[in-house]
Amino acid sequence: MSDALEHIKRVSGNIYRGGRIARSAATQTQDVIDPATEEVIGVIAETPTSEIDDCIAEANKAQKTWWKDYSAVDRAHALHQTADRLEELKPLLAEALTREMGKPYKESVDEVNWSIHSLRHSAEIGRVDMGRVMGPAVAGQMHYTLKVPLGTVAFIMPFNFPMVLLAWEAGAALAAGNACVVKPSEYTSLSTLLFAEAFDHLPEGLFHVVTGGGDVGRTLVEHSGTHGVAFTGSVPVGRRVSATCGDLMKPALIETSGNDPFIVMPSAPLDMAARAAAFSAYMNCGQICVSAERIYVHQDIHDAFVEKLVEETKKLRIGNGLDKVDMGPLVSSKERDRYEALMAKAQEAGARAATGGGRPGEFNRGWFVDATVLTDCTPDMDIFHNESFGPVAPVCRVKDFDEALMRANDSRFGLGSNIYTTNLSEAIRATEEIQAGMVWVNAPLLDNDAGPFGGSKLSGLGRQLGPEGIDTFRETKMIMIDPDCVAQDFWWFPYADAEMHPKD
């Protein structure tokens, strides 16, 4: 048995509580299945409500007793310690993540690295910006703001990037002075528990991981002991979380689906654009909220681009993420069924698979699918209006740049967007006119810890990363001080006779 499998077995059926892996009181569990082999590698506990109550109580105690009063420097130092620990755990975490959700080992290592970078950035942002001093409205007074933590934040996490998204969000929340209670995806709970051990030096009870399904998440969202929610997942669940938080007047970060456009114009170098489109459509088996899911190509270069995209797609090595591959399986049989139904509907509507379109024939186990280029696509197809979350590149011909912009904006979603062009006018217009939270010009899918990540429309509410990301997990308090305690007769009682209404 590999070292990673031994650690997966060690955390199987447990939660993270009190600064350590702890046996859950759960009486119900569900199997964790390796998506490349279909072997059961562990179980996750359905954390009971009483245990969640205890974790939230412990989190609030730790936040109020210690963490909120730590200096910003001490909190930053603690987060740097977590980053150091992740560096040590990197090989273990990467293998565990690949075994649990299927992505290539290289992508899992990248995810741990990105987590480390993000935690270090949050550590420094947390001690750089704690408010601001402004010019007073009254001479002699001091007016300023304080940025204060929410309290205890609940995190409902997805399976596609369980570590780095947790680092983005929990790192910012901790840097702001909050406690954290995390519910990972059922598909990536064991690797999240291993990830949580990098936080074991924090005050006891400050950071928790409780496992389970929708009922566990619902309890965290509705609980009076949580003071903010960060959710990443589907639109229907995101809407319910947002509605609940609205009723409770509880701050919420909501990141739901994407259906990102990828525009290719005649000035773009086609070899580069095709490589970029393949990467944008197939990375992580297409299970990325900012994947290129609607590819709009100018009619003058459409056929040449498709030919090059097919060439790039055929180069992909598909298989177990622990082998030398570029793309692993989808995360579960349920996800494969959903994805294949969407693909079948597209082909019934007239789309044609220029390459791929089925399952690789060399596998008799695992939830593998082909990387697929769909041509003859029309903008009205369902695949252009719903998140595919799988390795498909649907290509649609457009007559000019204006049509490309119009098609890009014809979506219920507005997370990311891409354009390949060397025409400066097209690039600037795209950045200004595409309705999305992020626009990548010749640089697809990049993140920057110093800049905000988030979308508009049905893609969600709020921002992660950058100064905007840490402000998601804190409130601004306005302070006004008169050090001399003088009378403010310019507006106090009694009002001056000269300011009364004049009589005839």
Side-chain angles (χ1 to χ4, degrees):
M1 182 183 294
S2 76
D3 186 53
L5 279 176
E6 289 180 359
H7 283 280
I8 286 172
K9 297 294 185 184
R10 175 174 62 85
V11 301
S12 181
N14 291 331
I15 61 173
Y16 185 85
R17 176 182 177 185
R20 61 184 178 84
I21 298 296
R23 175 59 58 181
S24 173
T27 57
Q28 294 180 312
T29 62
Q30 60 179 287
D31 289 342
V32 175
I33 301 173
D34 183 328
T37 66
E38 298 185 46
E39 295 174 355
V40 176
I41 59 173
V43 299
I44 63 169
E46 184 70 21
T47 311
T49 301
S50 59
E51 199 162 43
I52 298 171
D53 291 340
D54 291 342
C55 289
I56 292 173
E58 292 168 14
N60 278 294
K61 180 180 178 181
Q63 194 270 337
K64 293 173 182 176
T65 304
W66 296 296
W67 194 242
K68 75 177 180 63
D69 293 327
Y70 268 41
S71 73
V73 173
D74 287 339
R75 289 203 293 256
H77 179 65
L79 286 176
H80 281 301
Q81 285 183 280
T82 298
D84 292 341
R85 182 69 175 133
L86 288 176
E87 196 74 62
E88 298 170 5
L89 294 171
K90 187 188 305 181
L92 165 65
L93 295 175
E95 182 179 338
L97 180 55
T98 293
R99 289 185 180 278
E100 195 171 23
M101 73 81 55
K103 67 175 61 179
Y105 181 78
K106 190 269 185 194
E107 291 182 13
S108 295
V109 171
D110 284 346
E111 184 165 348
V112 181
N113 283 330
W114 299 336
S115 301
I116 293 167
H117 300 161
S118 180
L119 285 168
R120 295 201 190 282
H121 184 267
S122 291
E124 296 308 309
I125 288 291
R127 66 175 178 172
V128 165
D129 177 18
M130 296 293 291
R132 64 187 177 92
V133 178
M134 62 211 71
V138 177
Q141 294 189 6
M142 184 176 184
H143 294 179
Y144 60 97
T145 60
L146 289 177
K147 301 291 183 70
V148 297
L150 301 177
T152 293
V153 180
F155 299 86
I156 317 296
M157 305 306 299
F159 68 80
N160 58 337
F161 288 98
M163 295 181 184
V164 71
L165 293 181
L166 182 55
W168 285 8
E169 296 172 7
L174 289 166
N178 298 282
C180 303
V181 183
V182 180
K183 192 209 85 69
S185 165
E186 298 94 308
Y187 297 132
T188 49
S189 291
L190 302 182
S191 51
T192 301
L193 287 169
L194 293 172
F195 188 84
E197 293 187 292
F199 296 82
D200 60 7
H201 58 282
L202 296 179
E204 184 176 321
L206 189 70
F207 189 88
H208 297 260
V209 176
V210 293
T211 60
D215 288 343
V216 175
R218 187 179 303 108
T219 298
L220 291 177
V221 171
E222 296 175 352
H223 204 287
S224 61
T226 60
H227 310 102
V229 172
F231 169 85
T232 303
S234 69
V235 169
V237 180
R239 279 176 150 166
R240 292 198 292 272
V241 171
S242 181
T244 299
C245 289
D247 286 342
L248 297 172
M249 301 296 282
K250 185 178 293 190
L253 169 70
I254 307 292
E255 202 265 275
T256 49
S257 302
N259 186 224
D260 288 8
F262 190 108
I263 297 171
V264 185
M265 299 306 294
S267 66
L270 287 193
D271 288 341
M272 193 70 69
R275 287 190 65 196
F279 180 75
S280 301
Y282 307 137
M283 181 190 177
N284 200 21
C285 202
Q287 297 167 121
I288 307 178
C289 53
V290 291
S291 288
E293 300 204 349
R294 296 179 289 139
I295 302 177
Y296 298 109
V297 184
H298 193 285
Q299 60 186 2
D300 292 350
I301 56 168
H302 175 274
D303 293 350
F305 173 82
V306 168
E307 181 179 344
K308 291 181 181 296
L309 180 56
V310 168
E311 290 175 5
E312 293 297 327
T313 301
K314 288 180 177 179
K315 294 176 185 177
L316 289 180
R317 298 165 294 177
I318 300 174
N320 189 314
L322 297 178
D323 296 330
K324 294 179 180 179
V325 300
D326 303 303
M327 194 177 89
L330 289 169
V331 74
S332 70
S333 59
K334 178 181 177 182
E335 281 299 299
R336 186 170 67 174
D337 289 346
R338 177 202 57 77
Y339 169 74
E340 290 182 333
L342 183 68
M343 289 284 289
K345 191 169 186 179
Q347 293 180 74
E348 288 168 6
R352 178 180 65 85
T355 187
R359 300 178 183 180
E362 62 267 35
F363 302 106
N364 55 20
R365 294 180 69 82
W367 299 307
F368 296 98
V369 293
D370 290 326
T372 299
V373 177
L374 287 183
T375 60
D376 298 336
C377 295
T378 57
D380 59 324
M381 290 180 175
D382 280 358
I383 200 167
F384 274 72
H385 296 278
N386 292 287
E387 185 173 42
S388 59
F389 227 59
V392 58
V395 183
C396 178
R397 189 189 307 262
V398 293
K399 68 178 183 296
D400 54 26
F401 180 66
D402 286 329
E403 184 185 359
L405 285 183
M406 184 268 289
R407 298 296 182 198
N409 289 332
D410 182 22
S411 177
R412 300 175 299 155
F413 304 102
L415 189 53
S417 58
N418 305 269
I419 181 169
Y420 259 76
T421 180
T422 57
N423 181 307
L424 183 60
S425 176
E426 290 175 348
I428 291 174
R429 281 191 61 194
T431 63
E432 294 177 349
E433 296 180 30
I434 291 179
Q435 298 163 3
M438 297 162 288
V439 181
W440 291 288
V441 180
N442 305 331
L445 304 194
L446 285 173
D447 298 317
N448 184 335
D449 292 333
F453 179 101
S456 58
K457 303 182 184 178
L458 284 185
S459 290
L461 304 167
R463 292 294 183 268
Q464 304 172 67
L465 299 181
E468 296 88 347
I470 194 169
D471 278 344
T472 296
F473 301 107
R474 57 189 186 181
E475 295 176 329
T476 301
K477 183 183 293 186
M478 177 67 178
I479 313 295
M480 301 182 188
I481 299 174
D482 179 358
D484 296 322
C485 194
V486 300
Q488 299 183 31
D489 287 331
F490 61 89
W491 72 326
W492 283 7
F493 300 129
Y495 296 143
D497 290 349
E499 296 180 290
M500 302 299 177
H501 184 275
K503 295 182 178 179
D504 294 334

